[in-house]
Amino acid sequence: MDQDLQDFTDYLSRVAGKSPNTVRSYRADLSGFLHLMHLHGIDDPAQIDLATIRSWLAHEASTHARSTMARKTAALRSFFGWLSRHGRIKTDPTLALSSPKQSEHLPRILTHDQARTLMDTVDHDPVEPREDEDVQAALQVRDAAMLELLYATGMRVAELCGLDLDDVNRRSRTVKVLGKGSKERVLPYGLPADRALDRWLGEGRPVLAGSTAKSARKAGQALFLGQLGGRVGQRQVRKVVHQAAGQAGVPDIAPHALRHSAATHMLDGGADLREVQEMLGHSSLRTTQRYTHVSIEQLRARYRQAFPRA
């Protein structure tokens, strides 16, 4: 079954166009499942039935969240469906397998005032004097540009980290993003983000990219760089967002909360739901619709606060 798994993951990345994170997660889920099957003497996927799959999922559910179980279920359905289509098994045992119902948690967001406070703070907070002050100043300029772009476009962290210099069109104030499933979309951004990018490209990036040929090769075409000159990583971006929230005195948030905030604030401002769907790169309108619930909850809160007969 190792060869089946390898062929399937190759299919996911090369044909289906799944993101590296999805391929990695599916492979890990399936590896755990197939290893357990091997321990029970099952080395042929044709021997695996629906009862066995449900038993494994029930065991996993005791220690994993619903969202994780939904992914594991999706991985199994995708794997056995692929085996069936390619004639490696006669019947697909997951045809009657349903995904666990997801809990309807409203995404955490910043209010308009909190978002404004956060952006004002990262744009204007002074750099603390240090020996490597030039590098620290460059990092501050970078952090401001990353935060402005995340909030202005609602892009994902992985999309931000994957941006190259030529993905940004300064004349039209748009940025080309490669999203999930290798789907491209072009996102507009406003003047604050443009000013932050201008400072980063003119003052910050040259410092982190260095002046030698070796450092230039390391930086490559990456738009945003880490302290050592290579492409910035997702973990570093998340750290920047958490630190910026603490400095601004707003609720502690992850980068995805800026994405949620951008979507909700656009809807509050009168944007069409399909426009927000296109901006976020959602394949289903249903995924975008949850932001309307956030707007309604905010309206209810303001109503209860302001209306005397609420």
Side-chain angles (χ1 to χ4, degrees):
M1 290 190 287
D2 289 343
Q3 189 60 52
D4 289 328
L5 180 57
Q6 182 59 52
D7 292 344
F8 173 65
T9 52
D10 287 344
Y11 159 79
L12 288 179
S13 57
R14 297 176 184 176
V15 180
K18 297 296 184 181
S19 70
N21 285 340
T22 298
V23 175
R24 191 181 308 113
S25 297
Y26 276 26
R27 185 181 183 92
D29 292 336
L30 293 169
S31 293
F33 172 73
L34 295 177
H35 177 66
L36 185 63
M37 294 300 100
H38 173 73
L39 293 179
H40 284 78
I42 299 176
D43 291 311
D44 183 352
Q47 298 176 304
I48 301 173
D49 57 17
L50 180 59
T52 301
I53 293 172
R54 282 178 169 164
S55 177
W56 180 76
L57 288 172
H59 176 267
E60 292 291 293
S62 63
T63 55
H64 293 88
R66 283 188 182 181
S67 57
T68 303
M69 294 311 302
R71 189 198 67 218
K72 289 177 181 290
T73 303
L76 288 166
R77 293 175 66 178
S78 182
F79 177 58
F80 281 98
W82 178 84
L83 289 173
S84 177
R85 290 193 304 273
H86 287 78
R88 303 195 183 194
I89 58 175
K90 290 184 178 180
T91 58
D92 179 0
T94 65
L95 288 176
L97 187 65
S98 58
S99 297
K101 186 176 180 181
Q102 292 289 322
S103 57
E104 293 294 330
H105 290 300
L106 295 180
R108 185 177 188 179
I109 66 165
L110 297 177
T111 65
H112 291 266
D113 289 341
Q114 288 169 343
R116 187 180 301 110
T117 298
L118 175 63
M119 297 304 155
D120 288 345
T121 300
V122 298
D123 283 339
H124 300 297
D125 263 2
V127 178
E128 296 180 6
R130 299 183 183 180
E131 293 181 2
D132 53 349
E133 188 171 334
D134 288 344
V135 171
Q136 294 302 318
L139 290 173
Q140 181 183 352
V141 172
R142 180 207 64 184
D143 295 350
M146 292 195 306
L147 284 161
E148 286 282 6
L149 203 57
L150 282 172
Y151 178 58
T153 64
M155 70 174 66
R156 302 176 178 93
V157 176
E159 295 168 346
L160 179 88
C161 294
L163 290 177
D164 288 334
L165 292 169
D166 57 6
D167 290 328
V168 179
N169 188 324
R170 297 289 307 283
R171 179 172 297 181
S172 63
R173 291 211 302 269
T174 57
V175 58
K176 182 176 66 178
V177 169
L178 186 64
K180 290 185 176 180
S182 298
K183 295 179 181 178
E184 286 188 353
R185 64 189 193 279
V186 177
L187 305 174
Y189 59 84
L191 279 172
D194 189 56
R195 287 193 290 264
L197 279 171
D198 187 61
R199 284 195 63 195
W200 162 242
L201 294 173
E203 304 172 21
R205 192 180 186 280
V207 174
L208 298 186
S211 57
T212 66
K214 182 178 179 180
S215 60
R217 285 195 300 270
K218 186 175 183 180
Q221 290 299 304
L223 176 61
F224 292 113
L225 307 178
Q227 186 168 347
L228 300 180
R231 186 181 295 272
V232 72
Q234 295 185 42
R235 181 179 297 179
Q236 182 59 38
V237 177
R238 293 188 177 95
K239 181 179 179 181
V240 166
V241 174
H242 285 300
Q243 290 178 339
Q247 292 168 0
V250 301
D252 186 28
I253 56 169
H256 220 62
L258 285 177
R259 177 173 164 87
H260 296 325
S261 301
T264 305
H265 296 169
M266 281 192 67
L267 288 170
D268 287 344
D272 181 81
L273 191 61
R274 290 202 176 275
E275 294 172 343
V276 177
Q277 178 192 8
E278 184 176 347
M279 181 186 83
L280 297 179
H282 288 156
S283 57
S284 170
L285 190 63
R286 183 179 179 181
T287 306
T288 316
Q289 283 177 330
R290 62 178 174 168
Y291 296 106
T292 64
H293 302 318
V294 178
S295 295
I296 291 171
E297 287 301 313
Q298 288 184 329
L299 176 60
R300 286 174 178 165
R302 289 195 292 267
Y303 179 84
R304 288 192 295 265
Q305 182 179 16
F307 193 59
R309 296 178 66 84

